[in-house]
Amino acid sequence: MPDTEIELGQSLSKAKLEHPYVDSSEPESFYRDANGSKGMMQHRPSESSSWVHVIVEEKDSSTRESSKDESATKPLIPPRSQKPQTRRSTDDLDSKSLKHEHRNLKKEYDDIRQDLRTAWRENREQSLELRDLKKQNAHLKETIRTQADPKSQILNERRKFYEHVDMLEDHIAHLKHQLEKTKLHMDQLTFQTREANEEKAAYESKLQNLQKQNARLNEDLTECRDDILRLQPPSQIPDSKIAEEYAGLHQQIASWVDDEADDSQIMEARLEELANDKEAPDLLKAYLDPELIRLARKYSEAEPLILRYIIQLHLHRVILADDTYLFGLDDHNITLLRSIEHAMEALEPKRDTLTIQRWRSETLQALAKIDGFQAEQQRQATTVSKDLWAALTYLLPELATDGDSGWKRLHDTVTTPAVQLATNMRFSTSCYRIITHLHRKSSSSSDHSNNNAIYHPDIQRYTILDVATQKVLRQDSVLKVADDGRIGELVMVVQPLLLRMQRDSHGGIALCKPTVAVKLDEPMAKRAKGVRALGALSSWFGGDQEPVRS
């Protein structure tokens, strides 16, 4: 009996060292109830005596050895099926695939941690069970000491206990092995996660460098684009468009005069009263001289030409003048822009005239996009239309009966096209001039003292209207030509000359011929049949040779 107790105590001490949760102070044993079910040992006192009968399940030795072998080889908790880990190379993965693999590794890491917690929980339960067994063993020892139990029962109970302890030890060893494998796998996953994080950081750093490089390249591209735009000349308005708008403006003026001017007698009376009438508009007094008034008194057909002359002269003075920087722009801004242009001439390297004109063109085009400027330009154009309308109603009182609709028709028909023409002329890098009077030069063969004289070769240079008949003179018109080529005298310029000035010289290229009204020295005769064959009448028709004008 003492040897048996010593061996049992050594076994319990060994189990306690391997399972620190087992407390050997409480003895435990097994019992089988009346139904044959196995359970924990409990004290079952007898009525006749204090002897405690311990009922222990007996098994065949072969069955017990088979159970022991199975418990030693097969873990209580089947290990989690492991798929063969094939580490894919992450050298060719981009940032997105690395993030995906990182999430998969983290999920697998969480699953292993969950399995490990389950294993630890089972280990805890087995440790508690071992502690209960030790308690049963201690209780059995106490029972053996107090009761004279047969030796065979004690040996049988001890054998069962050792078998159960061995089974628990094998299971604990298996759990420890599983724990080591799990830790090793966790270390591998941690290493792979660290590598993935390092590669991710490297790709993110590379991505940031590429983004910075892309930003620099975009800045360089923008700068190159700006340089290209600076090198390219701005879009130029062609001369044909300027000439077309200019001719269209004067056609609009002529159309408005034909529609509105009907009563010539009232206009003739008003022209006679103009010089002495203090209430007459100053605009008319500035444009109409006594010669035009006498002309209107003599030729009633000249009154529409006089109206056209007044309108075009006023538009040229307030809208199309050469010194108008941009119609609608106030004096303060005009002074500022002119100062900038003068300052650009002093820059180093020195800016040429074309560069300054391109700058002016782009600046004025940008300025015209501003809503405030457009409103101011429209307001000034309305003022011009009302002033011109007030002056014309003095000559044609019937116009005043139309009210606001009258000056609005004048505004839409005449003033608005004039403003559009003036704006496009200032947008262009070319310089355009409108010549309201004719420049005469003396000829090498003769000196014409009268600068208002019109000569026969001028028919090719100008569009000449006979003030008496308003007919256009042509090369084959029947005219009385003097010895020096004179055919009449200039009365007024109905449509001024439009020139595009040349940069390298003081001359210009005519885009639209001027239209002038001429008082012929002799009335224009009717053309007879075969007149071109009558060489003897060459003095009457202008002669065989074209006279040289001054």
Side-chain angles (χ1 to χ4, degrees), residues 129-179:
E129 186 178 355
L130 181 59
R131 185 186 64 182
D132 294 338
L133 290 176
K134 288 183 178 182
K135 289 181 180 180
Q136 292 178 9
N137 188 23
H139 183 69
L140 180 60
K141 288 170 59 178
E142 183 68 22
T143 303
I144 293 173
R145 278 196 306 269
T146 56
Q147 302 293 335
D149 192 30
K151 186 177 180 179
S152 60
Q153 289 184 356
I154 295 175
L155 293 176
N156 189 21
E157 188 70 23
R158 183 185 298 173
R159 185 173 57 253
K160 288 182 179 181
F161 173 74
Y162 284 154
E163 289 177 357
H164 194 66
V165 170
D166 292 340
M167 181 182 66
L168 292 177
E169 289 177 351
D170 292 340
H171 185 62
I172 291 172
H174 176 72
L175 291 178
K176 288 182 178 180
H177 180 68
Q178 288 293 111
L179 179 62

Side-chain angles (χ1 to χ4, degrees), residues 37 97 159 215 271 281 288 420 461 480 485 528:
S37 300
S97 62
R159 185 173 57 253
L271 289 174
L288 296 178
Q420 183 64 36
R461 300 178 64 241
K480 172 65 176 179

Side-chain angles (χ1 to χ4, degrees), residues 79 81 108 119 133 152 159 193 196 212 227 256 264 290 331 339 353 363 380 401 440 468-469 518 545:
S81 60
E108 188 177 0
L133 290 176
S152 60
R159 185 173 57 253
T193 303
K212 293 179 181 179
D227 292 339
W256 184 88
S264 61
D331 295 337
S339 301
T353 304
T363 303
Q380 294 187 18
T401 59
R440 315 295 297 183
T469 62
V518 176
Q545 297 181 354

Side-chain angles (χ1 to χ4, degrees), residues 319-361:
I319 297 178
L320 299 169
D322 297 336
D323 57 350
T324 301
Y325 196 84
L326 179 64
F327 180 75
L329 193 62
D330 59 281
D331 295 337
H332 175 74
N333 287 321
I334 291 175
T335 303
L336 176 62
L337 294 177
R338 290 183 188 270
S339 301
I340 294 175
E341 292 182 9
H342 291 315
M344 290 177 66
E345 296 177 353
L347 293 177
E348 292 296 337
K350 187 176 181 180
R351 271 58 170 178
D352 57 1
T353 304
L354 180 59
T355 301
I356 297 175
Q357 289 176 346
R358 288 176 177 175
W359 175 86
R360 180 196 304 161
S361 174

Side-chain angles (χ1 to χ4, degrees), residues 55 137 164 171 178 183 216 219 235 247 255 261 284 287 343 411 413 418 457 472 523:
I55 302 174
N137 188 23
H164 194 66
H171 185 62
Q178 288 293 111
K183 289 182 178 179
R216 289 196 301 268
E219 293 177 357
S235 58
S255 176
L284 296 178
Y287 298 148
H411 178 81
T413 306
V472 178

Side-chain angles (χ1 to χ4, degrees), residues 44-267:
R44 303 178 64 185
S46 176
E47 296 178 356
S48 59
S49 63
S50 60
W51 178 256
V52 178
H53 296 279
V54 180
I55 302 174
V56 181
E57 178 185 7
E58 296 180 359
K59 293 184 179 180
D60 186 70
S61 61
S62 61
T63 306
R64 186 166 53 252
E65 290 177 359
S66 176
S67 301
K68 183 177 181 180
D69 293 339
E70 289 178 0
S71 63
T73 58
K74 183 177 180 181
L76 296 179
I77 301 175
R80 182 174 178 268
S81 60
Q82 301 290 336
K83 294 183 180 180
Q85 299 293 328
T86 57
R87 178 183 174 185
R88 295 181 297 176
S89 175
T90 58
D91 296 338
D92 300 331
L93 296 179
D94 55 5
S95 178
K96 183 176 180 182
S97 62
L98 286 175
K99 291 180 181 179
H100 181 70
E101 185 176 359
H102 175 70
R103 288 194 296 270
N104 293 337
L105 292 175
K106 186 175 180 181
K107 182 178 179 182
E108 188 177 0
Y109 175 77
D110 294 337
D111 294 340
I112 293 175
R113 287 192 63 182
Q114 186 65 29
D115 294 341
L116 182 59
R117 290 193 188 97
T118 304
W120 283 344
R121 193 180 300 110
E122 293 178 357
N123 189 13
R124 169 71 176 176
E125 294 174 355
Q126 296 294 337
S127 299
L128 294 175
E129 186 178 355
L130 181 59
R131 185 186 64 182
D132 294 338
L133 290 176
K134 288 183 178 182
K135 289 181 180 180
Q136 292 178 9
N137 188 23
H139 183 69
L140 180 60
K141 288 170 59 178
E142 183 68 22
T143 303
I144 293 173
R145 278 196 306 269
T146 56
Q147 302 293 335
D149 192 30
K151 186 177 180 179
S152 60
Q153 289 184 356
I154 295 175
L155 293 176
N156 189 21
E157 188 70 23
R158 183 185 298 173
R159 185 173 57 253
K160 288 182 179 181
F161 173 74
Y162 284 154
E163 289 177 357
H164 194 66
V165 170
D166 292 340
M167 181 182 66
L168 292 177
E169 289 177 351
D170 292 340
H171 185 62
I172 291 172
H174 176 72
L175 291 178
K176 288 182 178 180
H177 180 68
Q178 288 293 111
L179 179 62
E180 293 297 330
K181 289 177 62 178
T182 303
K183 289 182 178 179
L184 180 61
H185 188 61
M186 287 178 61
D187 292 339
Q188 293 178 355
L189 293 179
T190 303
F191 178 74
Q192 293 178 1
T193 303
R194 188 182 301 111
E195 285 186 344
N197 290 334
E198 292 176 355
E199 292 180 358
K200 177 185 176 183
Y203 278 112
E204 288 179 351
S205 177
K206 185 176 180 180
L207 178 61
Q208 291 177 358
N209 294 333
L210 290 176
Q211 289 176 349
K212 293 179 181 179
Q213 184 178 1
N214 188 29
R216 289 196 301 268
L217 291 176
N218 286 331
E219 293 177 357
D220 295 340
L221 179 62
T222 302
E223 185 177 356
C224 292
R225 189 186 299 112
D226 294 340
D227 292 339
I228 292 175
L229 291 176
R230 283 192 292 267
L231 292 175
Q232 291 180 348
S235 58
Q236 175 67 25
I237 298 177
D239 294 341
S240 59
K241 182 177 181 180
I242 299 295
E244 181 181 357
E245 290 183 357
Y246 183 77
L249 171 63
H250 287 278
Q251 289 178 1
Q252 291 289 93
I253 294 174
S255 176
W256 184 88
V257 170
D258 293 340
D259 294 340
E260 302 293 339
D262 294 333
D263 196 346
S264 61
Q265 295 181 355
I266 297 178
M267 180 176 175

